[in-house]
PDB file of all heavy atoms in Angstrom:
ATOM      1  N   GLU A 608     -52.880  54.680-148.314  1.00 96.00           N
ATOM      2  CA  GLU A 608     -51.811  55.555-148.509  1.00 96.00           C
ATOM      3  C   GLU A 608     -51.019  55.863-147.191  1.00 96.00           C
ATOM      4  O   GLU A 608     -49.787  56.050-147.149  1.00 96.00           O
ATOM      5  CB  GLU A 608     -52.370  56.835-149.063  1.00 96.00           C
ATOM      6  CG  GLU A 608     -52.705  56.888-150.488  1.00 96.00           C
ATOM      7  CD  GLU A 608     -54.075  56.263-150.699  1.00 96.00           C
ATOM      8  OE1 GLU A 608     -54.828  55.931-149.757  1.00 96.00           O
ATOM      9  OE2 GLU A 608     -54.485  56.094-151.945  1.00 96.00           O
ATOM     10  N   THR A 609     -51.762  55.854-146.113  1.00 97.00           N
ATOM     11  CA  THR A 609     -51.183  56.160-144.762  1.00 97.00           C
ATOM     12  C   THR A 609     -50.156  55.004-144.386  1.00 97.00           C
ATOM     13  O   THR A 609     -49.067  55.295-143.970  1.00 97.00           O
ATOM     14  CB  THR A 609     -52.227  56.314-143.762  1.00 97.00           C
ATOM     15  OG1 THR A 609     -53.131  57.357-144.144  1.00 97.00           O
ATOM     16  CG2 THR A 609     -51.577  56.699-142.376  1.00 97.00           C
ATOM     17  N   LEU A 610     -50.618  53.762-144.495  1.00 98.00           N
ATOM     18  CA  LEU A 610     -49.749  52.674-144.186  1.00 98.00           C
ATOM     19  C   LEU A 610     -48.506  52.624-145.126  1.00 98.00           C
ATOM     20  O   LEU A 610     -47.369  52.393-144.712  1.00 98.00           O
ATOM     21  CB  LEU A 610     -50.506  51.290-144.240  1.00 98.00           C
ATOM     22  CG  LEU A 610     -51.581  51.109-143.184  1.00 98.00           C
ATOM     23  CD1 LEU A 610     -52.385  49.880-143.442  1.00 98.00           C
ATOM     24  CD2 LEU A 610     -50.904  51.010-141.792  1.00 98.00           C
ATOM     25  N   LEU A 611     -48.792  52.811-146.376  1.00 98.00           N
ATOM     26  CA  LEU A 611     -47.683  52.805-147.370  1.00 98.00           C
ATOM     27  C   LEU A 611     -46.688  53.988-147.067  1.00 98.00           C
ATOM     28  O   LEU A 611     -45.479  53.766-147.168  1.00 98.00           O
ATOM     29  CB  LEU A 611     -48.249  52.874-148.780  1.00 98.00           C
ATOM     30  CG  LEU A 611     -47.248  52.803-149.925  1.00 98.00           C
ATOM     31  CD1 LEU A 611     -46.515  51.492-149.889  1.00 98.00           C
ATOM     32  CD2 LEU A 611     -47.970  52.976-151.267  1.00 98.00           C
ATOM     33  N   ARG A 612     -47.147  55.076-146.768  1.00 97.00           N
ATOM     34  CA  ARG A 612     -46.320  56.283-146.398  1.00 97.00           C
ATOM     35  C   ARG A 612     -45.428  55.888-145.222  1.00 97.00           C
ATOM     36  O   ARG A 612     -44.218  56.127-145.187  1.00 97.00           O
ATOM     37  CB  ARG A 612     -47.071  57.442-146.144  1.00 97.00           C
ATOM     38  CG  ARG A 612     -46.317  58.729-145.703  1.00 97.00           C
ATOM     39  CD  ARG A 612     -47.280  59.889-145.425  1.00 97.00           C
ATOM     40  NE  ARG A 612     -47.881  60.378-146.576  1.00 97.00           N
ATOM     41  CZ  ARG A 612     -48.781  61.329-146.564  1.00 97.00           C
ATOM     42  NH1 ARG A 612     -49.109  61.978-145.463  1.00 97.00           N
ATOM     43  NH2 ARG A 612     -49.350  61.794-147.699  1.00 97.00           N
ATOM     44  N   CYS A 613     -46.038  55.338-144.158  1.00 97.00           N
ATOM     45  CA  CYS A 613     -45.339  54.961-142.955  1.00 97.00           C
ATOM     46  C   CYS A 613     -44.238  53.925-143.355  1.00 97.00           C
ATOM     47  O   CYS A 613     -43.065  54.073-142.779  1.00 97.00           O
ATOM     48  CB  CYS A 613     -46.220  54.336-141.922  1.00 97.00           C
ATOM     49  SG  CYS A 613     -47.367  55.611-141.125  1.00 97.00           S
ATOM     50  N   ALA A 614     -44.548  52.947-144.135  1.00 98.00           N
ATOM     51  CA  ALA A 614     -43.562  51.954-144.548  1.00 98.00           C
ATOM     52  C   ALA A 614     -42.399  52.557-145.378  1.00 98.00           C
ATOM     53  O   ALA A 614     -41.232  52.252-145.056  1.00 98.00           O
ATOM     54  CB  ALA A 614     -44.262  50.802-145.264  1.00 98.00           C
ATOM     55  N   LEU A 615     -42.739  53.323-146.343  1.00 97.00           N
ATOM     56  CA  LEU A 615     -41.760  53.932-147.226  1.00 97.00           C
ATOM     57  C   LEU A 615     -40.819  54.896-146.486  1.00 97.00           C
ATOM     58  O   LEU A 615     -39.593  54.970-146.802  1.00 97.00           O
ATOM     59  CB  LEU A 615     -42.362  54.543-148.479  1.00 97.00           C
ATOM     60  CG  LEU A 615     -43.021  53.520-149.447  1.00 97.00           C
ATOM     61  CD1 LEU A 615     -43.792  54.310-150.535  1.00 97.00           C
ATOM     62  CD2 LEU A 615     -42.048  52.580-150.066  1.00 97.00           C
ATOM     63  N   LEU A 616     -41.425  55.647-145.607  1.00 96.00           N
ATOM     64  CA  LEU A 616     -40.649  56.747-144.880  1.00 96.00           C
ATOM     65  C   LEU A 616     -40.229  56.292-143.535  1.00 96.00           C
ATOM     66  O   LEU A 616     -39.668  57.143-142.776  1.00 96.00           O
ATOM     67  CB  LEU A 616     -41.535  57.954-144.773  1.00 96.00           C
ATOM     68  CG  LEU A 616     -42.056  58.600-146.157  1.00 96.00           C
ATOM     69  CD1 LEU A 616     -42.837  59.798-145.856  1.00 96.00           C
ATOM     70  CD2 LEU A 616     -40.920  58.822-147.139  1.00 96.00           C
ATOM     71  N   GLU A 617     -40.388  55.036-143.227  1.00 95.00           N
ATOM     72  CA  GLU A 617     -39.936  54.430-141.906  1.00 95.00           C
ATOM     73  C   GLU A 617     -40.521  55.244-140.752  1.00 95.00           C
ATOM     74  O   GLU A 617     -39.823  55.664-139.812  1.00 95.00           O
ATOM     75  CB  GLU A 617     -38.432  54.446-141.860  1.00 95.00           C
ATOM     76  CG  GLU A 617     -37.753  53.589-142.990  1.00 95.00           C
ATOM     77  CD  GLU A 617     -36.273  53.542-142.873  1.00 95.00           C
ATOM     78  OE1 GLU A 617     -35.671  54.187-142.047  1.00 95.00           O
ATOM     79  OE2 GLU A 617     -35.692  52.860-143.768  1.00 95.00           O
ATOM     80  N   GLN A 618     -41.876  55.396-140.808  1.00 96.00           N
ATOM     81  CA  GLN A 618     -42.525  56.113-139.726  1.00 96.00           C
ATOM     82  C   GLN A 618     -43.402  55.056-138.984  1.00 96.00           C
ATOM     83  O   GLN A 618     -43.883  54.164-139.555  1.00 96.00           O
ATOM     84  CB  GLN A 618     -43.393  57.256-140.266  1.00 96.00           C
ATOM     85  CG  GLN A 618     -42.637  58.322-140.963  1.00 96.00           C
ATOM     86  CD  GLN A 618     -43.557  59.358-141.592  1.00 96.00           C
ATOM     87  OE1 GLN A 618     -44.720  59.144-141.749  1.00 96.00           O
ATOM     88  NE2 GLN A 618     -42.937  60.506-141.968  1.00 96.00           N
ATOM     89  N   PRO A 619     -43.723  55.300-137.700  1.00 96.00           N
ATOM     90  CA  PRO A 619     -44.585  54.445-136.905  1.00 96.00           C
ATOM     91  C   PRO A 619     -46.065  54.724-137.218  1.00 96.00           C
ATOM     92  O   PRO A 619     -46.412  55.801-137.612  1.00 96.00           O
ATOM     93  CB  PRO A 619     -44.210  54.747-135.496  1.00 96.00           C
ATOM     94  CG  PRO A 619     -43.811  56.165-135.491  1.00 96.00           C
ATOM     95  CD  PRO A 619     -43.102  56.324-136.819  1.00 96.00           C
ATOM     96  N   TRP A 620     -46.887  53.707-136.994  1.00 96.00           N
ATOM     97  CA  TRP A 620     -48.320  53.861-137.085  1.00 96.00           C
ATOM     98  C   TRP A 620     -48.835  54.354-135.679  1.00 96.00           C
ATOM     99  O   TRP A 620     -48.280  53.890-134.622  1.00 96.00           O
ATOM    100  CB  TRP A 620     -49.000  52.611-137.433  1.00 96.00           C
ATOM    101  CG  TRP A 620     -50.436  52.447-137.080  1.00 96.00           C
ATOM    102  CD1 TRP A 620     -50.968  51.889-135.945  1.00 96.00           C
ATOM    103  CD2 TRP A 620     -51.496  53.035-137.831  1.00 96.00           C
ATOM    104  NE1 TRP A 620     -52.343  52.063-136.006  1.00 96.00           N
ATOM    105  CE2 TRP A 620     -52.687  52.769-137.127  1.00 96.00           C
ATOM    106  CE3 TRP A 620     -51.579  53.818-138.975  1.00 96.00           C
ATOM    107  CZ2 TRP A 620     -53.966  53.154-137.543  1.00 96.00           C
ATOM    108  CZ3 TRP A 620     -52.859  54.155-139.457  1.00 96.00           C
ATOM    109  CH2 TRP A 620     -53.982  53.906-138.717  1.00 96.00           C
ATOM    110  N   SER A 621     -49.888  55.145-135.647  1.00 96.00           N
ATOM    111  CA  SER A 621     -50.404  55.544-134.337  1.00 96.00           C
ATOM    112  C   SER A 621     -51.962  55.527-134.540  1.00 96.00           C
ATOM    113  O   SER A 621     -52.465  55.807-135.651  1.00 96.00           O
ATOM    114  CB  SER A 621     -49.918  56.872-133.913  1.00 96.00           C
ATOM    115  OG  SER A 621     -50.473  57.950-134.765  1.00 96.00           O
ATOM    116  N   GLU A 622     -52.677  55.379-133.470  1.00 96.00           N
ATOM    117  CA  GLU A 622     -54.125  55.447-133.523  1.00 96.00           C
ATOM    118  C   GLU A 622     -54.594  56.853-133.842  1.00 96.00           C
ATOM    119  O   GLU A 622     -55.704  57.075-134.345  1.00 96.00           O
ATOM    120  CB  GLU A 622     -54.716  55.014-132.163  1.00 96.00           C
ATOM    121  CG  GLU A 622     -54.740  53.465-132.014  1.00 96.00           C
ATOM    122  CD  GLU A 622     -55.521  52.797-133.177  1.00 96.00           C
ATOM    123  OE1 GLU A 622     -56.707  53.190-133.435  1.00 96.00           O
ATOM    124  OE2 GLU A 622     -54.985  51.830-133.724  1.00 96.00           O
ATOM    125  N   ALA A 623     -53.801  57.834-133.597  1.00 96.00           N
ATOM    126  CA  ALA A 623     -54.171  59.217-133.957  1.00 96.00           C
ATOM    127  C   ALA A 623     -54.340  59.309-135.463  1.00 96.00           C
ATOM    128  O   ALA A 623     -55.148  60.120-135.898  1.00 96.00           O
ATOM    129  CB  ALA A 623     -53.045  60.211-133.503  1.00 96.00           C
ATOM    130  N   MET A 624     -53.564  58.543-136.247  1.00 97.00           N
ATOM    131  CA  MET A 624     -53.724  58.629-137.635  1.00 97.00           C
ATOM    132  C   MET A 624     -55.090  58.053-138.063  1.00 97.00           C
ATOM    133  O   MET A 624     -55.731  58.585-138.952  1.00 97.00           O
ATOM    134  CB  MET A 624     -52.626  57.698-138.306  1.00 97.00           C
ATOM    135  CG  MET A 624     -51.186  58.247-138.155  1.00 97.00           C
ATOM    136  SD  MET A 624     -50.011  57.149-138.934  1.00 97.00           S
ATOM    137  CE  MET A 624     -48.460  58.106-138.653  1.00 97.00           C
ATOM    138  N   ARG A 625     -55.506  56.989-137.355  1.00 97.00           N
ATOM    139  CA  ARG A 625     -56.859  56.462-137.657  1.00 97.00           C
ATOM    140  C   ARG A 625     -57.947  57.577-137.384  1.00 97.00           C
ATOM    141  O   ARG A 625     -58.927  57.687-138.113  1.00 97.00           O
ATOM    142  CB  ARG A 625     -57.095  55.248-136.855  1.00 97.00           C
ATOM    143  CG  ARG A 625     -58.392  54.491-137.313  1.00 97.00           C
ATOM    144  CD  ARG A 625     -58.798  53.388-136.338  1.00 97.00           C
ATOM    145  NE  ARG A 625     -57.793  52.524-135.953  1.00 97.00           N
ATOM    146  CZ  ARG A 625     -57.408  51.454-136.682  1.00 97.00           C
ATOM    147  NH1 ARG A 625     -57.997  51.154-137.815  1.00 97.00           N
ATOM    148  NH2 ARG A 625     -56.374  50.630-136.271  1.00 97.00           N
ATOM    149  N   GLN A 626     -57.732  58.224-136.249  1.00 96.00           N
ATOM    150  CA  GLN A 626     -58.724  59.323-135.931  1.00 96.00           C
ATOM    151  C   GLN A 626     -58.718  60.421-136.973  1.00 96.00           C
ATOM    152  O   GLN A 626     -59.786  61.004-137.288  1.00 96.00           O
ATOM    153  CB  GLN A 626     -58.391  59.894-134.541  1.00 96.00           C
ATOM    154  CG  GLN A 626     -58.533  58.916-133.444  1.00 96.00           C
ATOM    155  CD  GLN A 626     -59.905  58.197-133.380  1.00 96.00           C
ATOM    156  OE1 GLN A 626     -60.930  58.865-133.530  1.00 96.00           O
ATOM    157  NE2 GLN A 626     -59.918  56.864-133.157  1.00 96.00           N
ATOM    158  N   ASP A 627     -57.575  60.775-137.512  1.00 95.00           N
ATOM    159  CA  ASP A 627     -57.479  61.749-138.565  1.00 95.00           C
ATOM    160  C   ASP A 627     -58.225  61.291-139.810  1.00 95.00           C
ATOM    161  O   ASP A 627     -58.897  62.048-140.420  1.00 95.00           O
ATOM    162  CB  ASP A 627     -55.977  62.113-138.869  1.00 95.00           C
ATOM    163  CG  ASP A 627     -55.374  62.969-137.780  1.00 95.00           C
ATOM    164  OD1 ASP A 627     -56.094  63.537-136.949  1.00 95.00           O
ATOM    165  OD2 ASP A 627     -54.129  63.039-137.843  1.00 95.00           O
ATOM    166  N   LEU A 628     -57.983  60.026-140.204  1.00 96.00           N
ATOM    167  CA  LEU A 628     -58.719  59.437-141.325  1.00 96.00           C
ATOM    168  C   LEU A 628     -60.178  59.562-141.169  1.00 96.00           C
ATOM    169  O   LEU A 628     -60.922  59.888-142.046  1.00 96.00           O
ATOM    170  CB  LEU A 628     -58.265  57.992-141.514  1.00 96.00           C
ATOM    171  CG  LEU A 628     -56.802  57.767-142.096  1.00 96.00           C
ATOM    172  CD1 LEU A 628     -56.441  56.344-142.090  1.00 96.00           C
ATOM    173  CD2 LEU A 628     -56.721  58.247-143.554  1.00 96.00           C
ATOM    174  N   ARG A 629     -60.678  59.147-139.965  1.00 96.00           N
ATOM    175  CA  ARG A 629     -62.108  59.192-139.673  1.00 96.00           C
ATOM    176  C   ARG A 629     -62.634  60.531-139.807  1.00 96.00           C
ATOM    177  O   ARG A 629     -63.760  60.803-140.246  1.00 96.00           O
ATOM    178  CB  ARG A 629     -62.355  58.535-138.345  1.00 96.00           C
ATOM    179  CG  ARG A 629     -62.205  57.010-138.307  1.00 96.00           C
ATOM    180  CD  ARG A 629     -62.464  56.469-136.914  1.00 96.00           C
ATOM    181  NE  ARG A 629     -62.426  54.969-137.065  1.00 96.00           N
ATOM    182  CZ  ARG A 629     -62.358  54.175-135.921  1.00 96.00           C
ATOM    183  NH1 ARG A 629     -62.459  54.728-134.724  1.00 96.00           N
ATOM    184  NH2 ARG A 629     -62.307  52.852-136.075  1.00 96.00           N
ATOM    185  N   ALA A 630     -61.890  61.501-139.222  1.00 94.00           N
ATOM    186  CA  ALA A 630     -62.359  62.893-139.229  1.00 94.00           C
ATOM    187  C   ALA A 630     -62.458  63.397-140.625  1.00 94.00           C
ATOM    188  O   ALA A 630     -63.475  64.025-140.981  1.00 94.00           O
ATOM    189  CB  ALA A 630     -61.411  63.781-138.407  1.00 94.00           C
ATOM    190  N   GLY A 631     -61.538  63.113-141.487  1.00 95.00           N
ATOM    191  CA  GLY A 631     -61.562  63.438-142.843  1.00 95.00           C
ATOM    192  C   GLY A 631     -62.727  62.882-143.599  1.00 95.00           C
ATOM    193  O   GLY A 631     -63.399  63.490-144.411  1.00 95.00           O
ATOM    194  N   ALA A 632     -62.891  61.561-143.401  1.00 96.00           N
ATOM    195  CA  ALA A 632     -63.917  60.749-144.028  1.00 96.00           C
ATOM    196  C   ALA A 632     -65.315  61.338-143.731  1.00 96.00           C
ATOM    197  O   ALA A 632     -66.227  61.289-144.512  1.00 96.00           O
ATOM    198  CB  ALA A 632     -63.814  59.307-143.772  1.00 96.00           C
ATOM    199  N   ALA A 633     -65.428  61.835-142.494  1.00 95.00           N
ATOM    200  CA  ALA A 633     -66.774  62.377-142.058  1.00 95.00           C
ATOM    201  C   ALA A 633     -67.012  63.731-142.444  1.00 95.00           C
ATOM    202  O   ALA A 633     -68.200  64.285-142.394  1.00 95.00           O
ATOM    203  CB  ALA A 633     -66.899  62.185-140.524  1.00 95.00           C
ATOM    204  N   ALA A 634     -65.971  64.524-142.858  1.00 95.00           N
ATOM    205  CA  ALA A 634     -66.175  65.955-143.172  1.00 95.00           C
ATOM    206  C   ALA A 634     -66.947  66.111-144.438  1.00 95.00           C
ATOM    207  O   ALA A 634     -66.807  65.283-145.409  1.00 95.00           O
ATOM    208  CB  ALA A 634     -64.802  66.546-143.245  1.00 95.00           C
ATOM    209  N   ASP A 635     -67.605  67.185-144.537  1.00 94.00           N
ATOM    210  CA  ASP A 635     -68.509  67.519-145.726  1.00 94.00           C
ATOM    211  C   ASP A 635     -68.168  68.967-146.181  1.00 94.00           C
ATOM    212  O   ASP A 635     -68.523  69.907-145.436  1.00 94.00           O
ATOM    213  CB  ASP A 635     -69.946  67.287-145.431  1.00 94.00           C
ATOM    214  CG  ASP A 635     -70.826  67.504-146.705  1.00 94.00           C
ATOM    215  OD1 ASP A 635     -70.285  67.446-147.823  1.00 94.00           O
ATOM    216  OD2 ASP A 635     -72.064  67.674-146.473  1.00 94.00           O
ATOM    217  N   PHE A 636     -67.521  69.152-147.254  1.00 94.00           N
ATOM    218  CA  PHE A 636     -67.154  70.524-147.724  1.00 94.00           C
ATOM    219  C   PHE A 636     -68.433  71.296-147.884  1.00 94.00           C
ATOM    220  O   PHE A 636     -69.344  70.895-148.639  1.00 94.00           O
ATOM    221  CB  PHE A 636     -66.473  70.384-149.083  1.00 94.00           C
ATOM    222  CG  PHE A 636     -65.888  71.682-149.634  1.00 94.00           C
ATOM    223  CD1 PHE A 636     -65.289  72.617-148.819  1.00 94.00           C
ATOM    224  CD2 PHE A 636     -66.136  72.006-151.009  1.00 94.00           C
ATOM    225  CE1 PHE A 636     -64.809  73.774-149.357  1.00 94.00           C
ATOM    226  CE2 PHE A 636     -65.686  73.208-151.485  1.00 94.00           C
ATOM    227  CZ  PHE A 636     -65.068  74.148-150.700  1.00 94.00           C
ATOM    228  N   PRO A 637     -68.578  72.452-147.199  1.00 94.00           N
ATOM    229  CA  PRO A 637     -69.792  73.151-147.141  1.00 94.00           C
ATOM    230  C   PRO A 637     -70.120  74.081-148.311  1.00 94.00           C
ATOM    231  O   PRO A 637     -71.260  74.682-148.344  1.00 94.00           O
ATOM    232  CB  PRO A 637     -69.608  74.014-145.837  1.00 94.00           C
ATOM    233  CG  PRO A 637     -68.186  74.287-145.798  1.00 94.00           C
ATOM    234  CD  PRO A 637     -67.522  73.031-146.278  1.00 94.00           C
TER     235      PRO A 637
END
Side-chain angles (χ1 to χ4, degrees):
E608 286 80 4
T609 303
L610 290 173
L611 184 59
R612 178 182 293 177
C613 289
L615 291 172
L616 302 182
E617 300 182 358
Q618 297 175 345
W620 160 263
S621 72
E622 282 301 311
M624 294 177 176
R625 192 192 308 277
Q626 296 306 316
D627 285 345
L628 287 170
R629 286 179 177 170
D635 186 18
F636 183 47

